[in-house]
């Protein structure tokens, strides 16, 4: 299953594409969508939308994993990111791709095993899990890969009854 992980933003949107099969993840591609500072927000959002559509048509993801918004202290930045995130969700929805959302803590817990892990720990585990020669850069792309890994683990969990658990197979009556 091809998973597209997205770390939303406006100036920089991280993306990571992996193939998840039988508990193993294989790196396909990662990078960023960037928009020029100083451009009107509407122009930047249009570019993000077009680039998202290009990613979707290039990699044909079965599912998308997108980071939920996390407001730290800068509300203005959070609102800007929310605009970018909305365009990203729209592109996925219009393409008919199921979209799953994860908090930063869920991603850390899934990738590192500890919900309060440091960013460096997440990046190192992402590198290790995808068998990469070096830590993925920039950070936005690394975060997107971690989101894709988080989703691959959630999607193949036996707890996810709609997807993988067939109760009839285990009925001993």
């Amino acid at each position: 299953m091809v998973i597209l992980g997205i770390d939303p933003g406006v100036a920089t949107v991280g993306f990571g594409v992996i193939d998840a099969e039988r508990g193993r993840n294989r790196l396909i591609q990662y990078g960023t969508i960037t928009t020029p500072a100083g451009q009107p927000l509407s122009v930047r959002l249009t570019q993000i939308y077009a680039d998202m559509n290009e990613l979707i048509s290039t990699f044909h993801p079965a599912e998308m994993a997108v980071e939920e918004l996390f407001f730290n202290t800068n509300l203005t930045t959070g609102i800007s990111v929310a605009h970018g995130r909305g365009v990203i969700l729209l592109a996925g929805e219009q393409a008919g791709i199921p979209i799953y959302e994860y908090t930063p803590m869920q991603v850390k817990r899934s990738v590192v095993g500890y919900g309060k892990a440091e960013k460096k720990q997440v990046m190192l585990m992402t590198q290790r899990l995808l068998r990469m020669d070096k830590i993925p850069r920039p950070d936005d792309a690394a975060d997107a890969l971690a989101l894709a890994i988080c989703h691959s683990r959630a999607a193949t969990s036996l707890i996810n009854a709609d997807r993988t658990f067939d109760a009839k197979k285990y009925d001993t009556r």
Side-chain angles (χ1 to χ4, degrees):
M1 165 175 58
V2 175
I3 299 169
L4 173 60
I6 298 290
D7 181 31
V10 170
T12 306
V13 175
F15 71 87
V17 185
I18 66 170
D19 183 28
E21 193 170 324
R22 297 185 182 141
R24 294 189 59 98
N25 297 313
R26 182 180 60 84
L27 174 66
I28 296 175
Q29 184 65 272
Y30 68 97
T32 57
I33 296 168
T34 57
T35 63
Q39 293 259 336
L41 179 61
S42 59
V43 172
R44 295 173 97 176
L45 295 175
T46 300
Q47 181 180 339
I48 292 167
Y49 180 75
D51 289 350
M52 282 298 302
N53 285 325
E54 186 175 332
L55 282 172
I56 290 166
S57 67
T58 299
F59 297 106
H60 306 286
E63 297 179 348
M64 258 175 70
V66 180
E67 185 174 77
E68 283 189 6
L69 276 184
F70 174 72
F71 286 99
N72 200 357
T73 54
N74 191 339
L75 188 59
T76 303
T77 301
I79 291 170
S80 178
V81 171
H83 288 302
R85 190 171 179 280
V87 168
I88 290 162
L89 296 174
L90 175 65
E93 184 65 29
Q94 284 186 335
I97 301 169
I99 300 169
Y100 299 86
E101 301 174 49
Y102 298 94
T103 65
M105 186 175 280
Q106 287 173 310
V107 174
K108 291 175 182 180
R109 191 176 322 130
S110 178
V111 174
V112 178
Y114 176 60
K116 294 184 180 178
E118 298 292 325
K119 188 172 204 59
K120 179 79 171 174
Q121 292 172 295
V122 176
M123 293 170 79
L124 284 168
M125 280 304 294
T126 298
Q127 175 192 5
R128 179 175 289 157
L129 291 168
L130 294 175
R131 296 170 293 289
M132 301 172 74
D133 293 334
K134 47 188 175 173
I135 292 175
R137 297 279 184 202
D139 290 0
D140 305 284
D143 290 347
L145 286 170
L147 276 153
I149 292 168
C150 172
H151 180 65
S152 77
R153 290 179 166 194
T156 58
S157 169
L158 287 179
I159 296 170
N160 193 336
D162 291 343
R163 206 183 296 270
T164 59
F165 184 71
D166 182 357
K168 293 176 190 166
K169 288 165 104 176
Y170 300 95
D171 189 356
T172 57
R173 288 184 274 166

